[in-house]
PDB file of all heavy atoms in Angstrom:
ATOM      1  N   LEU H   8       0.178  -4.938  16.158  1.00 94.00           N
ATOM      2  CA  LEU H   8       0.977  -3.724  16.018  1.00 94.00           C
ATOM      3  C   LEU H   8       2.300  -3.973  15.293  1.00 94.00           C
ATOM      4  O   LEU H   8       2.611  -3.254  14.341  1.00 94.00           O
ATOM      5  CB  LEU H   8       1.208  -3.062  17.379  1.00 94.00           C
ATOM      6  CG  LEU H   8       1.878  -1.698  17.326  1.00 94.00           C
ATOM      7  CD1 LEU H   8       1.096  -0.720  16.455  1.00 94.00           C
ATOM      8  CD2 LEU H   8       2.024  -1.141  18.735  1.00 94.00           C
ATOM      9  N   PRO H   9       3.087  -5.001  15.677  1.00 95.00           N
ATOM     10  CA  PRO H   9       4.334  -5.222  14.922  1.00 95.00           C
ATOM     11  C   PRO H   9       4.094  -5.519  13.440  1.00 95.00           C
ATOM     12  O   PRO H   9       4.829  -5.038  12.578  1.00 95.00           O
ATOM     13  CB  PRO H   9       4.976  -6.424  15.619  1.00 95.00           C
ATOM     14  CG  PRO H   9       4.344  -6.501  16.957  1.00 95.00           C
ATOM     15  CD  PRO H   9       2.977  -5.903  16.815  1.00 95.00           C
ATOM     16  N   THR H  10       3.047  -6.291  13.141  1.00 95.00           N
ATOM     17  CA  THR H  10       2.739  -6.607  11.742  1.00 95.00           C
ATOM     18  C   THR H  10       2.344  -5.344  10.992  1.00 95.00           C
ATOM     19  O   THR H  10       2.792  -5.115   9.861  1.00 95.00           O
ATOM     20  CB  THR H  10       1.610  -7.653  11.662  1.00 95.00           C
ATOM     21  OG1 THR H  10       1.984  -8.793  12.429  1.00 95.00           O
ATOM     22  CG2 THR H  10       1.352  -8.070  10.225  1.00 95.00           C
ATOM     23  N   ALA H  11       1.524  -4.500  11.620  1.00 95.00           N
ATOM     24  CA  ALA H  11       1.102  -3.255  10.976  1.00 95.00           C
ATOM     25  C   ALA H  11       2.288  -2.324  10.749  1.00 95.00           C
ATOM     26  O   ALA H  11       2.377  -1.662   9.714  1.00 95.00           O
ATOM     27  CB  ALA H  11       0.031  -2.565  11.822  1.00 95.00           C
ATOM     28  N   ILE H  12       3.205  -2.277  11.704  1.00 96.00           N
ATOM     29  CA  ILE H  12       4.390  -1.425  11.551  1.00 96.00           C
ATOM     30  C   ILE H  12       5.232  -1.896  10.369  1.00 96.00           C
ATOM     31  O   ILE H  12       5.634  -1.092   9.523  1.00 96.00           O
ATOM     32  CB  ILE H  12       5.222  -1.404  12.854  1.00 96.00           C
ATOM     33  CG1 ILE H  12       4.475  -0.582  13.920  1.00 96.00           C
ATOM     34  CG2 ILE H  12       6.617  -0.838  12.613  1.00 96.00           C
ATOM     35  CD1 ILE H  12       5.077  -0.674  15.302  1.00 96.00           C
ATOM     36  N   ILE H  13       5.482  -3.181  10.282  1.00 96.00           N
ATOM     37  CA  ILE H  13       6.268  -3.730   9.167  1.00 96.00           C
ATOM     38  C   ILE H  13       5.561  -3.448   7.839  1.00 96.00           C
ATOM     39  O   ILE H  13       6.185  -3.034   6.860  1.00 96.00           O
ATOM     40  CB  ILE H  13       6.508  -5.240   9.368  1.00 96.00           C
ATOM     41  CG1 ILE H  13       7.461  -5.460  10.536  1.00 96.00           C
ATOM     42  CG2 ILE H  13       7.042  -5.895   8.090  1.00 96.00           C
ATOM     43  CD1 ILE H  13       7.555  -6.891  11.010  1.00 96.00           C
ATOM     44  N   TRP H  14       4.240  -3.661   7.802  1.00 93.00           N
ATOM     45  CA  TRP H  14       3.465  -3.457   6.569  1.00 93.00           C
ATOM     46  C   TRP H  14       3.519  -1.999   6.131  1.00 93.00           C
ATOM     47  O   TRP H  14       3.642  -1.694   4.956  1.00 93.00           O
ATOM     48  CB  TRP H  14       2.029  -3.915   6.806  1.00 93.00           C
ATOM     49  CG  TRP H  14       1.381  -4.510   5.606  1.00 93.00           C
ATOM     50  CD1 TRP H  14       0.360  -3.965   4.880  1.00 93.00           C
ATOM     51  CD2 TRP H  14       1.695  -5.745   4.972  1.00 93.00           C
ATOM     52  NE1 TRP H  14       0.031  -4.800   3.845  1.00 93.00           N
ATOM     53  CE2 TRP H  14       0.828  -5.898   3.884  1.00 93.00           C
ATOM     54  CE3 TRP H  14       2.617  -6.740   5.228  1.00 93.00           C
ATOM     55  CZ2 TRP H  14       0.861  -6.997   3.049  1.00 93.00           C
ATOM     56  CZ3 TRP H  14       2.656  -7.840   4.398  1.00 93.00           C
ATOM     57  CH2 TRP H  14       1.790  -7.956   3.328  1.00 93.00           C
ATOM     58  N   ASN H  15       3.421  -1.078   7.092  1.00 95.00           N
ATOM     59  CA  ASN H  15       3.462   0.346   6.754  1.00 95.00           C
ATOM     60  C   ASN H  15       4.855   0.794   6.346  1.00 95.00           C
ATOM     61  O   ASN H  15       5.000   1.639   5.463  1.00 95.00           O
ATOM     62  CB  ASN H  15       2.919   1.186   7.916  1.00 95.00           C
ATOM     63  CG  ASN H  15       1.416   1.260   7.875  1.00 95.00           C
ATOM     64  OD1 ASN H  15       0.856   2.031   7.111  1.00 95.00           O
ATOM     65  ND2 ASN H  15       0.760   0.421   8.644  1.00 95.00           N
ATOM     66  N   LEU H  16       5.881   0.247   6.964  1.00 96.00           N
ATOM     67  CA  LEU H  16       7.250   0.558   6.518  1.00 96.00           C
ATOM     68  C   LEU H  16       7.460   0.101   5.083  1.00 96.00           C
ATOM     69  O   LEU H  16       8.065   0.810   4.272  1.00 96.00           O
ATOM     70  CB  LEU H  16       8.280  -0.085   7.448  1.00 96.00           C
ATOM     71  CG  LEU H  16       8.470   0.579   8.805  1.00 96.00           C
ATOM     72  CD1 LEU H  16       9.377  -0.271   9.697  1.00 96.00           C
ATOM     73  CD2 LEU H  16       9.036   1.984   8.643  1.00 96.00           C
ATOM     74  N   ALA H  17       6.952  -1.095   4.760  1.00 95.00           N
ATOM     75  CA  ALA H  17       7.061  -1.596   3.380  1.00 95.00           C
ATOM     76  C   ALA H  17       6.282  -0.696   2.423  1.00 95.00           C
ATOM     77  O   ALA H  17       6.748  -0.419   1.309  1.00 95.00           O
ATOM     78  CB  ALA H  17       6.547  -3.030   3.305  1.00 95.00           C
ATOM     79  N   GLY H  18       5.116  -0.228   2.842  1.00 93.00           N
ATOM     80  CA  GLY H  18       4.325   0.672   2.003  1.00 93.00           C
ATOM     81  C   GLY H  18       5.035   1.991   1.745  1.00 93.00           C
ATOM     82  O   GLY H  18       5.026   2.509   0.626  1.00 93.00           O
ATOM     83  N   ILE H  19       5.672   2.533   2.778  1.00 97.00           N
ATOM     84  CA  ILE H  19       6.429   3.773   2.609  1.00 97.00           C
ATOM     85  C   ILE H  19       7.616   3.537   1.677  1.00 97.00           C
ATOM     86  O   ILE H  19       7.880   4.342   0.777  1.00 97.00           O
ATOM     87  CB  ILE H  19       6.897   4.319   3.976  1.00 97.00           C
ATOM     88  CG1 ILE H  19       5.702   4.854   4.771  1.00 97.00           C
ATOM     89  CG2 ILE H  19       7.938   5.420   3.789  1.00 97.00           C
ATOM     90  CD1 ILE H  19       6.033   5.226   6.206  1.00 97.00           C
ATOM     91  N   ALA H  20       8.326   2.428   1.880  1.00 97.00           N
ATOM     92  CA  ALA H  20       9.484   2.124   1.033  1.00 97.00           C
ATOM     93  C   ALA H  20       9.065   1.971  -0.431  1.00 97.00           C
ATOM     94  O   ALA H  20       9.705   2.522  -1.331  1.00 97.00           O
ATOM     95  CB  ALA H  20      10.186   0.862   1.525  1.00 97.00           C
ATOM     96  N   LEU H  21       7.985   1.242  -0.663  1.00 94.00           N
ATOM     97  CA  LEU H  21       7.510   1.071  -2.037  1.00 94.00           C
ATOM     98  C   LEU H  21       7.038   2.402  -2.613  1.00 94.00           C
ATOM     99  O   LEU H  21       7.274   2.701  -3.785  1.00 94.00           O
ATOM    100  CB  LEU H  21       6.386   0.034  -2.089  1.00 94.00           C
ATOM    101  CG  LEU H  21       5.843  -0.310  -3.463  1.00 94.00           C
ATOM    102  CD1 LEU H  21       6.952  -0.805  -4.390  1.00 94.00           C
ATOM    103  CD2 LEU H  21       4.748  -1.347  -3.349  1.00 94.00           C
ATOM    104  N   GLY H  22       6.396   3.209  -1.782  1.00 95.00           N
ATOM    105  CA  GLY H  22       5.960   4.534  -2.232  1.00 95.00           C
ATOM    106  C   GLY H  22       7.127   5.406  -2.649  1.00 95.00           C
ATOM    107  O   GLY H  22       7.090   6.064  -3.690  1.00 95.00           O
ATOM    108  N   LEU H  23       8.181   5.403  -1.855  1.00 97.00           N
ATOM    109  CA  LEU H  23       9.375   6.186  -2.203  1.00 97.00           C
ATOM    110  C   LEU H  23      10.044   5.632  -3.459  1.00 97.00           C
ATOM    111  O   LEU H  23      10.573   6.393  -4.272  1.00 97.00           O
ATOM    112  CB  LEU H  23      10.352   6.203  -1.028  1.00 97.00           C
ATOM    113  CG  LEU H  23       9.870   6.966   0.209  1.00 97.00           C
ATOM    114  CD1 LEU H  23      10.847   6.770   1.358  1.00 97.00           C
ATOM    115  CD2 LEU H  23       9.657   8.434  -0.093  1.00 97.00           C
ATOM    116  N   TYR H  24       9.993   4.319  -3.626  1.00 96.00           N
ATOM    117  CA  TYR H  24      10.590   3.680  -4.810  1.00 96.00           C
ATOM    118  C   TYR H  24       9.908   4.144  -6.094  1.00 96.00           C
ATOM    119  O   TYR H  24      10.545   4.225  -7.143  1.00 96.00           O
ATOM    120  CB  TYR H  24      10.505   2.154  -4.663  1.00 96.00           C
ATOM    121  CG  TYR H  24      11.212   1.387  -5.748  1.00 96.00           C
ATOM    122  CD1 TYR H  24      12.574   1.549  -5.974  1.00 96.00           C
ATOM    123  CD2 TYR H  24      10.524   0.481  -6.535  1.00 96.00           C
ATOM    124  CE1 TYR H  24      13.228   0.838  -6.965  1.00 96.00           C
ATOM    125  CE2 TYR H  24      11.163  -0.240  -7.525  1.00 96.00           C
ATOM    126  CZ  TYR H  24      12.510  -0.054  -7.736  1.00 96.00           C
ATOM    127  OH  TYR H  24      13.147  -0.767  -8.716  1.00 96.00           O
ATOM    128  N   THR H  25       8.617   4.490  -6.018  1.00 94.00           N
ATOM    129  CA  THR H  25       7.920   4.951  -7.224  1.00 94.00           C
ATOM    130  C   THR H  25       8.505   6.259  -7.755  1.00 94.00           C
ATOM    131  O   THR H  25       8.415   6.526  -8.938  1.00 94.00           O
ATOM    132  CB  THR H  25       6.414   5.163  -6.984  1.00 94.00           C
ATOM    133  OG1 THR H  25       6.217   6.212  -6.047  1.00 94.00           O
ATOM    134  CG2 THR H  25       5.734   3.901  -6.525  1.00 94.00           C
ATOM    135  N   PHE H  26       9.093   7.057  -6.867  1.00 94.00           N
ATOM    136  CA  PHE H  26       9.703   8.315  -7.301  1.00 94.00           C
ATOM    137  C   PHE H  26      11.070   8.072  -7.934  1.00 94.00           C
ATOM    138  O   PHE H  26      11.485   8.798  -8.819  1.00 94.00           O
ATOM    139  CB  PHE H  26       9.830   9.284  -6.125  1.00 94.00           C
ATOM    140  CG  PHE H  26       8.508   9.663  -5.535  1.00 94.00           C
ATOM    141  CD1 PHE H  26       8.123   9.176  -4.303  1.00 94.00           C
ATOM    142  CD2 PHE H  26       7.631  10.482  -6.229  1.00 94.00           C
ATOM    143  CE1 PHE H  26       6.902   9.516  -3.753  1.00 94.00           C
ATOM    144  CE2 PHE H  26       6.399  10.824  -5.692  1.00 94.00           C
ATOM    145  CZ  PHE H  26       6.035  10.336  -4.456  1.00 94.00           C
ATOM    146  N   VAL H  27      11.754   7.032  -7.472  1.00 93.00           N
ATOM    147  CA  VAL H  27      13.087   6.713  -7.978  1.00 93.00           C
ATOM    148  C   VAL H  27      13.003   5.947  -9.288  1.00 93.00           C
ATOM    149  O   VAL H  27      13.734   6.230 -10.233  1.00 93.00           O
ATOM    150  CB  VAL H  27      13.879   5.889  -6.928  1.00 93.00           C
ATOM    151  CG1 VAL H  27      15.225   5.455  -7.463  1.00 93.00           C
ATOM    152  CG2 VAL H  27      14.031   6.666  -5.638  1.00 93.00           C
ATOM    153  N   SER H  28      12.113   4.964  -9.348  1.00 90.00           N
ATOM    154  CA  SER H  28      12.004   4.113 -10.531  1.00 90.00           C
ATOM    155  C   SER H  28      10.536   3.780 -10.811  1.00 90.00           C
ATOM    156  O   SER H  28      10.058   2.700 -10.454  1.00 90.00           O
ATOM    157  CB  SER H  28      12.817   2.828 -10.320  1.00 90.00           C
ATOM    158  OG  SER H  28      12.736   2.017 -11.457  1.00 90.00           O
ATOM    159  N   PRO H  29       9.811   4.696 -11.428  1.00 88.00           N
ATOM    160  CA  PRO H  29       8.385   4.459 -11.651  1.00 88.00           C
ATOM    161  C   PRO H  29       8.083   3.234 -12.517  1.00 88.00           C
ATOM    162  O   PRO H  29       7.094   2.549 -12.279  1.00 88.00           O
ATOM    163  CB  PRO H  29       7.888   5.739 -12.318  1.00 88.00           C
ATOM    164  CG  PRO H  29       9.075   6.563 -12.623  1.00 88.00           C
ATOM    165  CD  PRO H  29      10.241   5.989 -11.910  1.00 88.00           C
ATOM    166  N   LEU H  30       8.933   2.944 -13.480  1.00 85.00           N
ATOM    167  CA  LEU H  30       8.688   1.792 -14.348  1.00 85.00           C
ATOM    168  C   LEU H  30       8.770   0.491 -13.555  1.00 85.00           C
ATOM    169  O   LEU H  30       7.869  -0.348 -13.626  1.00 85.00           O
ATOM    170  CB  LEU H  30       9.693   1.789 -15.510  1.00 85.00           C
ATOM    171  CG  LEU H  30       9.509   0.698 -16.554  1.00 85.00           C
ATOM    172  CD1 LEU H  30       8.137   0.796 -17.211  1.00 85.00           C
ATOM    173  CD2 LEU H  30      10.600   0.795 -17.611  1.00 85.00           C
ATOM    174  N   SER H  31       9.820   0.319 -12.785  1.00 87.00           N
ATOM    175  CA  SER H  31       9.963  -0.900 -11.970  1.00 87.00           C
ATOM    176  C   SER H  31       8.869  -0.985 -10.916  1.00 87.00           C
ATOM    177  O   SER H  31       8.321  -2.061 -10.667  1.00 87.00           O
ATOM    178  CB  SER H  31      11.328  -0.928 -11.291  1.00 87.00           C
ATOM    179  OG  SER H  31      12.348  -0.988 -12.245  1.00 87.00           O
ATOM    180  N   ALA H  32       8.554   0.126 -10.279  1.00 89.00           N
ATOM    181  CA  ALA H  32       7.508   0.129  -9.257  1.00 89.00           C
ATOM    182  C   ALA H  32       6.153  -0.207  -9.865  1.00 89.00           C
ATOM    183  O   ALA H  32       5.359  -0.933  -9.264  1.00 89.00           O
ATOM    184  CB  ALA H  32       7.460   1.487  -8.566  1.00 89.00           C
ATOM    185  N   GLY H  33       5.887   0.298 -11.054  1.00 85.00           N
ATOM    186  CA  GLY H  33       4.638  -0.021 -11.734  1.00 85.00           C
ATOM    187  C   GLY H  33       4.502  -1.505 -11.995  1.00 85.00           C
ATOM    188  O   GLY H  33       3.418  -2.079 -11.856  1.00 85.00           O
ATOM    189  N   ARG H  34       5.586  -2.128 -12.346  1.00 83.00           N
ATOM    190  CA  ARG H  34       5.562  -3.585 -12.557  1.00 83.00           C
ATOM    191  C   ARG H  34       5.303  -4.318 -11.241  1.00 83.00           C
ATOM    192  O   ARG H  34       4.615  -5.332 -11.220  1.00 83.00           O
ATOM    193  CB  ARG H  34       6.853  -4.041 -13.214  1.00 83.00           C
ATOM    194  CG  ARG H  34       6.931  -3.575 -14.660  1.00 83.00           C
ATOM    195  CD  ARG H  34       8.144  -4.126 -15.383  1.00 83.00           C
ATOM    196  NE  ARG H  34       8.128  -3.673 -16.760  1.00 83.00           N
ATOM    197  CZ  ARG H  34       9.133  -3.053 -17.356  1.00 83.00           C
ATOM    198  NH1 ARG H  34      10.255  -2.833 -16.700  1.00 83.00           N
ATOM    199  NH2 ARG H  34       9.032  -2.663 -18.603  1.00 83.00           N
ATOM    200  N   ILE H  35       5.855  -3.802 -10.147  1.00 85.00           N
ATOM    201  CA  ILE H  35       5.596  -4.407  -8.836  1.00 85.00           C
ATOM    202  C   ILE H  35       4.110  -4.297  -8.503  1.00 85.00           C
ATOM    203  O   ILE H  35       3.515  -5.230  -7.970  1.00 85.00           O
ATOM    204  CB  ILE H  35       6.456  -3.734  -7.742  1.00 85.00           C
ATOM    205  CG1 ILE H  35       7.925  -4.097  -7.933  1.00 85.00           C
ATOM    206  CG2 ILE H  35       5.984  -4.146  -6.343  1.00 85.00           C
ATOM    207  CD1 ILE H  35       8.883  -3.304  -7.052  1.00 85.00           C
ATOM    208  N   PHE H  36       3.504  -3.151  -8.824  1.00 83.00           N
ATOM    209  CA  PHE H  36       2.071  -2.952  -8.576  1.00 83.00           C
ATOM    210  C   PHE H  36       1.209  -3.839  -9.461  1.00 83.00           C
ATOM    211  O   PHE H  36       0.035  -4.014  -9.203  1.00 83.00           O
ATOM    212  CB  PHE H  36       1.669  -1.491  -8.814  1.00 83.00           C
ATOM    213  CG  PHE H  36       2.106  -0.540  -7.746  1.00 83.00           C
ATOM    214  CD1 PHE H  36       2.713   0.648  -8.080  1.00 83.00           C
ATOM    215  CD2 PHE H  36       1.901  -0.814  -6.406  1.00 83.00           C
ATOM    216  CE1 PHE H  36       3.105   1.549  -7.106  1.00 83.00           C
ATOM    217  CE2 PHE H  36       2.291   0.072  -5.424  1.00 83.00           C
ATOM    218  CZ  PHE H  36       2.894   1.261  -5.773  1.00 83.00           C
ATOM    219  N   GLY H  37       1.776  -4.370 -10.545  1.00 81.00           N
ATOM    220  CA  GLY H  37       1.021  -5.239 -11.436  1.00 81.00           C
ATOM    221  C   GLY H  37       0.498  -4.544 -12.668  1.00 81.00           C
ATOM    222  O   GLY H  37      -0.375  -5.054 -13.357  1.00 81.00           O
ATOM    223  N   LEU H  38       1.039  -3.361 -12.975  1.00 76.00           N
ATOM    224  CA  LEU H  38       0.617  -2.649 -14.170  1.00 76.00           C
ATOM    225  C   LEU H  38       1.301  -3.232 -15.397  1.00 76.00           C
ATOM    226  O   LEU H  38       2.475  -3.600 -15.346  1.00 76.00           O
ATOM    227  CB  LEU H  38       0.945  -1.167 -14.044  1.00 76.00           C
ATOM    228  CG  LEU H  38       0.310  -0.453 -12.853  1.00 76.00           C
ATOM    229  CD1 LEU H  38       0.837   0.962 -12.743  1.00 76.00           C
ATOM    230  CD2 LEU H  38      -1.199  -0.455 -12.974  1.00 76.00           C
TER     231      LEU H  38
END
Side-chain angles (χ1 to χ4, degrees):
L8 187 57
T10 305
I12 288 171
I13 291 168
W14 214 249
N15 277 281
L16 285 172
I19 289 172
L21 183 57
L23 293 173
Y24 186 59
T25 65
F26 298 108
V27 176
S28 181
L30 184 60
S31 297
R34 290 186 178 127
I35 290 170
F36 286 133
L38 301 173

